[in-house]
Amino acid sequence: MTSQYAGIDVGKAELHANVYGQEKVRVFANTHIGNKQLGNWLKQNKVGLAVMEASGGYERQAAEELRRTGIPVSVVNPTHVRRFCQGMGTLAKTDVKDARMIAYYASVKQPKAQAAKSEAETQLAELVERREQLTEMLGMEKNRSSNATVSSLKSIEKHIIYLAEEIKAIETQIEKLTESNSEWQLRLVIMQSFNGIGKVIATTLLAELPELGHESREVIAALAGVAPINRDSGKMRGRRSVFGGRARVRRVLYLAAMVGVRFNPVIKPFYERLLEAGKPKKVALVACMHKILTILNAMLKKGELFSPVYP
């Protein structure tokens, strides 16, 4: 039984921490030393679960270091915490209040702690993130080059070459890292057997959604943020919507769906049936993302390659 719950509000420079039931909020630097001090303080308070929001990557170092010290950590969707706060009538937002509210959220919701990542898993996630950053920069530079002046074009073209080389170098590192792990290789082969899933998408799912194939389809859909949320009240039936989840996973699933609706023998007819039923294209695409994720989860659980027999 968990003895104490703690909430941690994550900032770029500081971590505000509160143990549920205590008034005081402690502040620690978001550094290696600060994380160590935070861990010692949580242990002194006999904390059995520390909860923090996903904060654009600023939470990663703290979460991993706390896990390595033996403190269970759950990194949750900030939207879920914000909705919880609104439900409790708390609208003000400060670091101190957020830490207390996250601690309260932890005590009520008791979210499942995530397992600590290995050094290789952490490295893979960092490389995948860096590749995405470089790809975004490359796209922006290519857009600029289309209407650049003569004086700036040379600089832009030089930067485009540099970014392309950096992306290639990152992809080489990713390939070497995944080749060193036989289980990863098997998972990548299974995912890439699905029409619409290439190496980049498969590697991103491997790094950003390690739970794939190990959890129920409902849990996986919620983690990715493609589980439809009902908005019904009395006789009113609102439009189902999705929100939250892991942004990078959602982005690559969208790309997979865009290819799948054209070439995948399961996704294409599914998409066409939804359109024929009057569903908007955006809604149909999200439904395809959900279906792709469900199929991938089943494939990885069974260790099977894709087959058109999947429902």
Side-chain angles (χ1 to χ4, degrees):
M1 184 74 177
T2 300
S3 53
Q4 294 281 10
Y5 296 93
I8 302 170
D9 182 68
V10 179
K12 182 178 181 180
E14 294 180 329
L15 303 168
H16 289 71
N18 173 253
V19 174
Y20 177 64
Q22 296 183 11
E23 181 68 19
K24 189 173 183 180
V25 174
R26 290 286 303 271
V27 182
F28 301 89
N30 194 357
T31 62
H32 175 69
I33 295 175
N35 294 332
K36 187 174 181 180
Q37 294 171 339
L38 172 60
N40 291 335
W41 180 74
L42 293 174
K43 285 184 175 180
Q44 290 170 9
N45 283 272
K46 298 179 180 177
V47 169
L49 178 66
V51 175
M52 59 182 71
E53 297 174 322
S55 304
Y58 294 130
E59 80 287 349
R60 289 182 184 172
Q61 180 179 327
E64 289 304 315
E65 292 195 16
L66 289 178
R67 288 173 180 135
R68 282 196 287 268
T69 63
I71 297 173
V73 176
S74 179
V75 178
V76 299
N77 189 319
T79 305
H80 297 167
V81 178
R82 181 49 48 192
R83 294 291 176 90
F84 178 81
C85 294
Q86 292 171 346
M88 299 306 298
T90 302
L91 301 178
K93 182 171 174 61
T94 67
D95 295 336
V96 171
K97 288 185 177 181
D98 282 354
R100 292 197 186 109
M101 188 53 69
I102 295 171
Y104 185 26
Y105 173 91
S107 71
V108 174
K109 296 297 186 179
Q110 300 180 19
K112 183 179 178 181
Q114 294 101 8
K117 286 187 176 182
S118 66
E119 185 177 340
E121 288 173 326
T122 300
Q123 185 181 359
L124 178 62
E126 290 172 350
L127 288 171
V128 167
E129 181 179 17
R130 184 56 181 160
R131 177 180 58 192
E132 184 179 87
Q133 292 169 349
L134 292 169
T135 301
E136 288 177 358
M137 285 190 279
L138 179 60
M140 287 188 288
E141 287 292 68
K142 285 183 176 180
N143 288 335
R144 292 188 186 103
S145 68
S146 62
N147 59 355
T149 61
V150 176
S151 58
S152 62
L153 183 59
K154 186 175 182 180
S155 172
I156 293 173
E157 290 177 340
K158 185 186 293 186
H159 196 208
I160 287 174
I161 294 172
Y162 168 78
L163 289 171
E165 290 174 348
E166 283 295 299
I167 292 171
K168 188 176 180 180
I170 292 289
E171 289 178 342
T172 299
Q173 292 181 61
I174 290 174
E175 191 166 347
K176 288 182 179 179
L177 186 60
T178 54
E179 284 177 351
S180 66
N181 188 309
S182 58
E183 182 183 349
W184 285 358
Q185 279 294 296
L186 177 60
R187 288 170 65 83
L188 289 172
V189 168
I190 290 173
M191 284 190 282
Q192 289 180 79
S193 70
F194 185 93
N195 305 63
I197 303 289
K199 184 181 292 185
V200 171
I201 294 176
T203 307
T204 302
L205 292 174
L206 179 68
E208 298 291 330
L209 196 60
E211 299 91 346
L212 195 60
H214 301 295
E215 296 281 0
S216 69
R217 65 183 190 178
E218 292 82 9
V219 170
I220 291 297
L223 289 172
V226 295
I229 306 298
N230 294 348
R231 298 183 184 276
D232 299 339
S233 179
K235 294 182 179 180
M236 187 275 288
R237 294 294 179 265
R239 176 180 291 182
R240 274 52 176 165
S241 61
V242 295
F243 67 89
R246 301 176 187 175
R248 193 167 288 114
V249 172
R250 285 169 59 86
R251 284 195 289 271
V252 296
L253 281 176
Y254 176 78
L255 296 175
M258 291 295 289
V259 177
V261 298
R262 296 178 61 195
F263 303 110
N264 188 281
V266 173
I267 302 303
K268 182 180 179 181
F270 176 70
Y271 177 71
E272 291 172 348
R273 286 197 301 272
L274 291 174
L275 294 183
E276 290 172 1
K279 299 294 183 183
K281 287 186 177 181
K282 185 176 180 180
V283 172
L285 276 172
V286 173
C288 290
M289 291 163 61
H290 186 284
K291 191 170 185 68
I292 289 171
L293 200 59
T294 299
I295 293 174
L296 290 176
N297 197 49
M299 288 165 55
L300 289 169
K301 273 188 176 181
K302 299 175 183 177
E304 297 177 350
L305 298 179
F306 174 69
S307 168
V309 300
Y310 274 97

